[in-house]
DNA sequence: CATGAATGAGAATTCATTCAT
DNA sequence: TATGAATGAATTCTCATTCAT
């Protein structure tokens, strides 16, 4: 990858392009994500990032104060993308929305090079670096809050039982998602996909739902 | 942390403590585990390990051929400790044994600095180094096999339903355990313990069990 | 040696001298040669080289992939210089050219710190490192081929007897040159110079020449 | 080489043997020579030496003050052996003795694993370590003196011409021998043996001899 | 603004030497 | 006396960061 022949050209090309700061930052973040995807966090060196972004190593420091900042910014971008389904599926009934998001998650994780799933897992797994670690945890907490609010909405609307505990359900949802992450991480592909992992989620949801799944397994 | 003079004053006072090789090795492994716990795998540098073990950097290489070997040895020790409950609980009915192991896992994970839980998670999450990563995956596969065999035994004995799928149950057990790992890793302590995480496991087991839990939640 | 402040005061005074890559590379090679001269190959450590080049240790690795590459590059530079006489003397009659080269070799070796003679010998004698050793041997073979081709030319032109064996003469030339190398290496300066070592070569050449030496000893 | 199975036994055996200091020293020196032969000077580590000698690393320091001393002692032993032919051939006519020694040298160098030739060359080539280097040079000077005295004797006896210069002849002899050393060192085996290298010596001697070679090359 | 040459602290590893046993 | 466990300075190499251009 990144062979010279083509690179030398494109690099020269890129060099000339004077981008608006915000857009250049965007591009660098994309580069970070792709480097993290390919190599993992600890191997996401600044020079790899610079090369992938088509800029000099010094340039990175015009947009970020440190490597940690770069990674944190990339993590945010990944979080953004990973959580988008929760908002995109906004018009559905809350419980159905959760089911839909889960299905998407399973599908994304099962698919080879599943968009932002890989860097997502890389961040979760590779964040032993202090600081990044906290950022990842914060990310999970944010996700947690989003999920919990949807469960609460679902209970309010009556699509899950009144005695179901949204916190418990949220934890269960996370457990389901983490399970898929771990499988991706360790290459246990046999568990991924709707047949196995997705079942876990439906398990949890069916137990709390007031009526059985409409579209999911069930049939 | 691990400043001199606080606990093992003999270490810094006495120069050149001569130990039986086996014991020194043991101590170094303990040191590795504690460094991994505190700093994660990538930050478990040989000099940190040496300092924690109270030996010179060269000494490590009398006992291990490389840093990777050190980490692998520590991983083995941790695996050993983490999986011990499966063997200690040997005399119980298989399903009950799974419950018991689960309870212990939850308890261990919940306890602050719960023995080997932290390094266990650090190894799972932080093993970006090739070789160590494979060792970790192998460890998971080994664990997987142990769990599955117990589920199969349980089905043979009739304590879980004949139509329950041991593979599915095994995955569910792992998902439960990974959930706790993630919480430990990210400091989401609010989910740990019998009240929340343990419930997930009992969820799964109750569904497959032919009779309700004897000792677990239930009452 | 190479203390700061003595000759190139600018080096220590000015921090971060920025050079064109080619020139910096050149300077580093010079530094390697001088370190090898002074300390021999095994003692030509990267930190000594860095210090001699007036750069940080990391800088070396911007120009060379490894210490071995540094040494190989330096060896090439030395070879280049050592063999230059063969090409500079190109217009002479072949046999006379050989005599001329020999005289230059003797002169170079005899002169205190005779340019590239000392590092040349250091490389030949001190290349215990695999890879470098092969590079040195290749160097000798290359030199051998150059010398042999000139002897063949000389025979074709009739300046050495038709029954003289170019291979034998080449070996004899090498033996002559190695003799000087050994003397330099071991500080046996009493043998160096035209009086003694050079005589050896003329011995060999006179025996094969069709007419006596024009300029050399003879008189 | 040095596999455990057998070694463990022999080691235990050797351990018990309490040798007279002088003899143990002797054995260690043998071990050094064999390690140098096999691995070269820079790779002749103290632990390799200790292992080869069947003693603990600490023991070496009861007999030698430092690694350098060990190597120097071994070099002396090798010198001793290499120069023995000069004395063994004592009854012959001096010039014939030189021829005989030369022949032996050529034969030894040409033969695979030629007794003490290999460590000899290893010392000459590998002695970039300061101190050892001087020792090697001294060795060459000693050899030089021995050779020169024989040439002087030969001149006194009239077997070489009165106007021949013993110093010159000595240098020529050394050049001949070094040539063979270099060939061994660089694996240029094609030059070794009586056909090529030995001819060089006979060249020199014939020129100084009052009568042609008796036994040597024939013509 | 952007660059990329230069940096230097720190990583893993080796090995001659010491010293408690 | 002999041992071998322990040492720590030194080695090669990496990489986040800086700063002259």
């Amino acid at each position: 990858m990144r062979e010279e022949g083509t690179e030398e050209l494109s690099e020269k090309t890129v060099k000339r392009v004077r981008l608006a700061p915000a857009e250049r930052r965007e591009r660098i973040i994309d580069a970070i994500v792709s480097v993290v995807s390919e190599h993992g966090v600890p191997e996401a060196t600044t020079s790899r990032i610079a090369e992938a972004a088509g800029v000099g190593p010094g340039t990175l420091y015009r947009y970020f104060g440190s490597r940690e900042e770069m990674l944190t910014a990339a993590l945010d971008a990944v979080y953004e993308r990973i959580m988008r389904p929760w908002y995109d599926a906004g018009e559905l009934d809350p419980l159905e929305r959760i089911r839909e998001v889960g299905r998407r998650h399973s599908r994304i994780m099962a698919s080879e090079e599943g968009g932002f799933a890989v860097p997502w897992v890389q961040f979760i797994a590779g964040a032993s670096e202090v600081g990044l670690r906290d950022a990842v945890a914060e990310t999970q907490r944010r996700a947690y809050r989003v999920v919990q609010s949807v469960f609460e909405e679902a209970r309010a609307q009556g699509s899950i039982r009144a005695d179901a505990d949204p916190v418990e359900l949220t934890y269960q949802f996370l457990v389901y998602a983490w399970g898929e992450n771990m499988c991706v991480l360790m290459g246990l592909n046999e568990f991924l996909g709707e047949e196995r992992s997705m079942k876990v989620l439906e398990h949890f949801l069916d137990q709390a739902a007031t009526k059985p799944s409409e579209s999911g397994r069930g049939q």
Side-chain angles (χ1 to χ4, degrees), chain A residues 35-37 39-44 67-68 71-72 75 117-137 140 181-182 185-186:
Chain A
V35 170
V36 166
S37 293
H39 299 282
V41 171
E43 302 286 297
R67 177 173 172 272
E68 188 184 313
L71 290 168
T72 306
L75 170 61
V118 173
W120 181 238
V121 176
Q122 294 279 23
F123 272 115
I124 293 175
S128 354
E129 277 139 287
V130 198
L132 196 50
R133 187 160 170 169
D134 295 345
V136 168
Q140 295 294 321
N181 290 347
M182 293 296 289
L185 187 61
M186 297 187 303

Side-chain angles (χ1 to χ4, degrees), chain A residues 105 109 120 171-182 197:
Chain A
H105 193 272
M109 287 294 173
W120 181 238
Y171 179 67
Q172 290 172 347
F173 187 91
L174 290 180
V175 157
Y176 146 77
W178 289 337
E180 297 197 332
N181 290 347
M182 293 296 289
S197 167

Side-chain angles (χ1 to χ4, degrees), chain A residues 24-25 27-32 35 44-67 69-71:
Chain A
R24 166 134 301 172
R25 208 186 126 97
R27 290 215 187 176
I28 292 175
I29 288 178
D30 288 351
I32 301 168
V35 170
T45 63
T46 50
S47 56
R48 266 207 253 253
I49 291 169
E51 198 198 3
V55 301
T59 307
L60 299 177
Y61 288 83
R62 305 214 136 268
Y63 296 92
F64 304 93
S66 67
R67 177 173 172 272
E69 248 180 56
M70 297 172 212
L71 290 168

Side-chain angles (χ1 to χ4, degrees), chain A residues 91-196:
Chain A
E91 72 295 339
L92 291 172
D93 159 85
L95 182 56
E96 206 43 41
R97 208 189 323 163
I98 290 167
R99 281 204 160 92
E100 178 55 26
V101 168
R103 267 192 297 271
R104 272 198 225 183
H105 193 272
S106 290
R107 233 177 295 126
I108 259 180
M109 287 294 173
S111 68
E112 221 21 78
E113 171 62 67
F116 276 33
V118 173
W120 181 238
V121 176
Q122 294 279 23
F123 272 115
I124 293 175
S128 354
E129 277 139 287
V130 198
L132 196 50
R133 187 160 170 169
D134 295 345
V136 168
E138 177 50 29
T139 264
Q140 295 294 321
R141 255 178 245 115
R142 245 154 54 192
Y144 168 77
R145 268 178 252 122
V146 171
V147 177
Q148 186 178 354
S149 75
V150 180
F151 272 116
E152 272 158 2
E153 201 188 330
R155 190 170 61 173
Q157 293 204 358
S159 54
I160 62 172
R161 293 200 322 270
D163 66 332
D165 177 7
V167 172
E168 187 175 318
L169 285 164
T170 302
Y171 179 67
Q172 290 172 347
F173 187 91
L174 290 180
V175 157
Y176 146 77
W178 289 337
E180 297 197 332
N181 290 347
M182 293 296 289
C183 289
V184 167
L185 187 61
M186 297 187 303
L188 304 173
N189 299 307
E190 60 268 37
F191 292 129
L192 292 170
E194 310 220 356
E195 294 94 64
R196 197 125 284 158

